[in-house]
Amino acid sequence: MENNRNYFIAIALSVLVVLGWQFFYMNPRIEAQRQAELQQKAELAKQQPKDAAGNPAPGNTVNGTLPASQASATASREDAIAKSQRVEIDTEALSGSINLTGGRLDDLRLKGYHETVDKTSPIITLLNPADTKDGYFTELGFVGSTNSGSVPGPSTVWTVKEGAKLSETSPVTLTYTNDAGLTFTRKISVDQHYMFTIEDTVANSGSAETSVAPYGRITRYNKPTTPSAYVLHEGFLGVIGAGNSLTEAKYASIEKENESLPKATGGWLGITDKYWAAAMVPPQAVAYDARFSHFTDGQPRFQADYKNDAVTVAPGQSVSLKTLIFAGAKEVPVIDAYETSYSIPGFDRMIDWGWFYFLTKPMFKLMDFFFRHVGNFGVAILLTTIVVKALFFPLASKQYASMANMKRIQPKLEELKAKHGDDRMAMQQAMMELYKTEKINPVAGCWPLVLQIPVFFSLYKVIYITIEMRHAPFFGWIRDLSAPDPTSIVNLFGLLPFDAPTFLHLGIWPIIMGFTMFLQMRMNPTPPDPTQAMLFNWMPLVFTFMLGSFPSGLVIYWAWNNTLSVIQQSVIMKRHGVKIELFDNLRKVFRRKSVETK
């Protein structure tokens, strides 16, 4: 009874920890950030030039307006690509093309990833042209001044100066000269993964000093089609400035109100999906204004954009700026390498490691270490579980020792119950006196459970969010550790020719997990309290159905963890000379079933 009570106390305490974290830390932090943003907006509004009507003067922001021909996005992807001048992209990881209109990156596919586990299925399409219904693209340009003439923007047609195809070893150079004597030269390079380097040079061959303000935008028409999960952020994100403070915004919140970010120097911003992302790293030495927006004029669209402060170009002089664009899969080693090699602050936060970042990322590193040695992420999960159990062994020993002591005094507790009957007050006082005499802390057994809860959530995050788990096989029928077990008991695990309804879906691994949980709970005496006894009996079944829709990698972890816990508890109980109740409890269960059938 005490063991189960401790179990419920552990659950309650974990909920209190999460609520306390949200109330005392996250809420004040969010409110402080909101107030700072409101103050920043007010300051910007005061400083922004106004026209005669009191409205913001044009040309000071990147409003995201698309060319008139793109106001209605109805073209097919193939037609949109075919009707525009382009430079091909072909690397080890990417295929696609650069649209010379706008110098826009709007056609990109990821060679290493398929839509399903079937290797013959289409590869992932990340970016799409602006005049398609699934428009998703990134664009760099300039905002001009009074004497700068026409500067590169959404409708500018660039000329190819050098390079017929963009690859890891062959960059492409584009050029555009305007009527004011400004020549814009853009050199585009790409590495073997997903990072594009754009080097813009503005040369002034005119007679007057002029200035231009670089901008960048990532524009997307549609939200992800897959349902969002509370453990995963999808939408806008970035590290604005040289610090590591991550800014996130959901699509729904930006649809209600655009978000202007504090003026900063350094950092990055973009839009992320579960496994893919597009992000811009502005010129790090020039201050910029950034925002997350949703526009409804013409084609509705979401947009993350920035505008650098204007740079001055004297006659006969030139200015160069370097911008990075990431567009691809959020592979952990690749993202980490970019953060280090390009000195991008907080770039690893593009992967949603969550609140328990300090646990989640090391958990992945450990699993990835095992994967590189055994070549199977399922086996890596099993080995990681053993390491975690070993690290928590001292705490688990205390937990099971406390449980063993509780079992040892169980006869004395029964005597107290018989002695005091329904007098709860006297019963509680007698129990506390007994605990004091026997030097037992009845709550001590629940603290190890509380401490292990963050570890469980961290492992869940790793399995759910990391692309390394996507389509990673285990053995047998498990071909994707990030997806639920595909088998179902309803159709006899595929023997019957129909699919089980989602709410009845229950695969082999969830059943194995439920059985191991049943065994673990039967290691302890059945609680005498009828309510607790009912929960004791039904909890494995409830968890079995609840985890039926969870990623199979997590279910495998839980089943394996339960098995190790049963072995560990048996060893510790035997060491303390306490009877192991498992076999007696199983005999009682099957004896009761036998009597009921008669």
Side-chain angles (χ1 to χ4, degrees):
M1 180 175 67
E2 290 297 330
N3 173 50
N4 286 277
R5 183 178 300 167
N6 290 345
Y7 186 82
F8 297 126
I9 291 173
I11 294 175
L13 286 173
S14 66
V15 173
L16 287 175
V17 168
V18 174
L19 292 177
W21 174 273
Q22 181 70 28
F23 183 79
F24 291 108
Y25 179 75
M26 291 303 297
N27 286 354
R29 182 179 176 185
I30 292 171
E31 179 61 23
Q33 183 177 345
R34 190 180 71 85
Q35 292 297 335
E37 290 170 356
L38 290 175
Q39 184 177 356
Q40 179 73 18
K41 289 179 182 179
E43 292 297 325
L44 289 174
K46 291 178 183 178
Q47 299 171 9
Q48 192 171 8
K50 303 290 194 299
D51 59 17
N55 298 314
N60 289 280
T61 60
V62 186
N63 65 13
T65 302
L66 301 177
S69 62
Q70 296 169 0
S72 178
T74 58
S76 69
R77 192 175 193 280
E78 293 74 16
D79 289 343
I81 292 172
K83 72 181 182 182
S84 53
Q85 301 178 61
R86 294 181 171 269
V87 175
E88 184 183 357
I89 300 171
D90 187 15
T91 72
E92 179 183 345
L94 302 170
S95 66
S97 59
I98 300 170
N99 191 344
L100 293 182
T101 301
R104 187 177 296 141
L105 188 60
D106 64 355
D107 169 26
L108 202 63
R109 296 175 184 263
L110 311 183
K111 291 182 178 179
Y113 296 94
H114 295 261
E115 293 180 0
T116 69
V117 293
D118 185 355
K119 296 300 183 183
T120 63
S121 63
I123 61 174
I124 292 294
T125 297
L126 181 61
L127 301 181
N128 292 300
D131 45 359
T132 65
K133 63 181 180 63
D134 296 317
Y136 187 12
F137 55 89
T138 178
E139 170 192 297
L140 302 180
F142 296 86
V143 176
S145 57
T146 54
N147 64 339
S148 64
S150 175
V151 297
S155 57
T156 301
V157 179
W158 291 77
T159 300
V160 179
K161 181 180 180 181
E162 185 178 347
K165 178 191 295 186
L166 179 62
S167 69
E168 303 96 321
T169 56
S170 59
V172 169
T173 302
L174 311 179
T175 186
Y176 171 76
T177 301
N178 72 3
D179 51 355
L182 293 182
T183 298
F184 298 83
T185 303
R186 174 168 292 175
K187 181 180 179 182
I188 305 174
S189 308
V190 64
D191 67 3
Q192 70 272 30
H193 297 298
Y194 313 109
M195 187 68 83
F196 294 82
T197 301
I198 292 87
E199 298 175 83
D200 279 317
T201 301
V202 184
N204 185 359
S205 60
S207 58
E209 181 180 86
T210 189
S211 62
V212 292
Y215 76 83
R217 63 167 171 158
I218 296 173
T219 301
R220 176 176 186 160
Y221 295 167
N222 302 316
K223 293 182 278 190
T225 55
T226 54
S228 60
Y230 76 96
V231 297
L232 174 71
H233 172 73
E234 292 184 281
F236 299 90
L237 83 169
V239 172
I240 309 302
N244 289 320
S245 179
L246 182 68
T247 299
E248 296 177 329
K250 294 282 189 181
Y251 290 108
S253 65
I254 298 303
E255 282 180 309
K256 295 177 182 176
E257 182 180 5
N258 293 344
E259 182 175 353
S260 295
L261 304 173
K263 194 179 189 70
T265 302
W268 58 276
L269 69 159
I271 298 176
T272 183
D273 288 336
K274 181 177 182 179
Y275 295 125
W276 336 107
M280 303 171 292
V281 184
Q284 297 290 282
V286 184
Y288 64 90
D289 296 294
R291 65 179 179 175
F292 301 144
S293 308
H294 181 249
F295 298 99
T296 56
D297 58 311
Q299 171 65 48
R301 60 206 180 276
F302 297 94
Q303 184 165 296
D305 60 48
Y306 72 88
K307 183 178 76 69
N308 283 113
D309 287 350
V311 293
T312 301
V313 190
Q317 301 296 314
S318 64
V319 173
S320 295
L321 300 162
K322 185 172 78 170
T323 305
L324 302 175
I325 294 178
F326 172 88
K330 298 191 297 184
E331 300 169 5
V332 178
V334 173
I335 297 294
D336 287 349
Y338 286 149
E339 179 180 30
T340 303
S341 60
Y342 292 108
S343 300
I344 308 172
F347 200 61
D348 70 324
R349 303 306 296 273
M350 180 182 291
I351 299 171
D352 185 10
W353 297 112
W355 290 353
F356 299 112
Y357 173 93
F358 58 93
L359 286 176
T360 313
K361 193 168 183 181
M363 186 78 74
F364 171 80
K365 295 286 188 180
L366 180 60
M367 292 174 60
D368 189 56
F369 169 79
F370 285 129
F371 170 73
R372 294 180 187 280
H373 284 80
V374 300
N376 186 297
F377 261 113
V379 176
I381 290 173
L382 302 184
L383 295 174
T384 300
T385 308
I386 293 175
V387 172
V388 171
K389 294 294 286 186
L391 291 174
F392 277 95
F393 183 79
L395 288 173
S397 295
K398 291 183 178 180
Q399 174 193 358
Y400 292 136
S402 175
M403 291 164 55
N405 288 330
M406 292 299 298
K407 289 179 182 179
R408 180 172 51 81
I409 66 170
Q410 195 70 29
K412 295 182 180 180
L413 289 173
E414 292 296 332
E415 290 177 6
L416 292 177
K417 185 176 180 181
K419 178 179 178 181
H420 296 286
D422 295 332
D423 190 344
R424 291 182 176 272
M425 183 65 70
M427 177 67 180
Q428 287 294 329
Q429 291 177 350
M431 286 173 59
M432 295 306 295
E433 193 64 34
L434 177 62
Y435 294 151
K436 185 176 180 180
T437 303
E438 297 288 341
K439 297 181 180 180
I440 294 175
N441 182 358
V443 185
C446 73
W447 286 111
L449 287 172
V450 174
L451 293 175
Q452 291 181 61
I453 287 173
V455 176
F456 169 77
F457 281 120
S458 297
L459 186 61
Y460 176 46
K461 286 280 285 187
V462 168
I463 294 173
Y464 189 78
I465 68 163
T466 54
I467 195 170
E468 285 78 4
M469 294 294 167
R470 181 182 185 266
H471 297 173
F474 184 42
F475 295 115
W477 63 94
I478 301 297
R479 301 175 63 193
D480 185 357
L481 288 166
S482 67
D485 188 324
T487 60
S488 177
I489 194 173
V490 175
N491 61 10
L492 298 182
F493 309 113
L495 293 178
L496 300 179
F498 62 86
D499 293 329
T502 303
F503 69 96
L504 289 177
H505 185 93
L506 191 61
I508 295 174
W509 270 107
I511 292 173
I512 294 173
M513 188 285 305
F515 179 70
T516 60
M517 187 176 186
F518 169 78
L519 291 180
Q520 185 180 13
M521 298 193 74
R522 293 293 163 180
M523 291 287 292
N524 307 298
T526 303
D529 181 76
T531 303
Q532 289 190 16
M534 182 182 68
L535 291 174
F536 186 84
N537 291 327
W538 283 97
M539 189 175 292
L541 185 62
V542 171
F543 271 73
T544 298
F545 276 95
M546 188 173 70
L547 267 70
S549 59
F550 275 47
S552 56
L554 187 69
V555 180
I556 292 169
Y557 156 77
W558 202 324
W560 179 233
N561 184 68
N562 289 344
T563 303
L564 294 177
S565 296
V566 169
I567 297 171
Q568 186 180 48
Q569 186 174 353
S570 300
V571 172
I572 295 173
M573 290 173 69
K574 188 174 182 180
R575 183 185 302 169
H576 284 80
V578 178
K579 181 182 178 182
I580 300 173
E581 304 282 347
L582 176 60
F583 299 108
D584 286 347
N585 282 337
L586 289 177
R587 277 194 292 268
K588 289 178 183 178
V589 169
F590 290 112
R591 188 182 302 123
R592 184 168 59 248
K593 295 291 184 184
S594 176
V595 171
E596 289 174 356
T597 55
K598 292 180 180 179

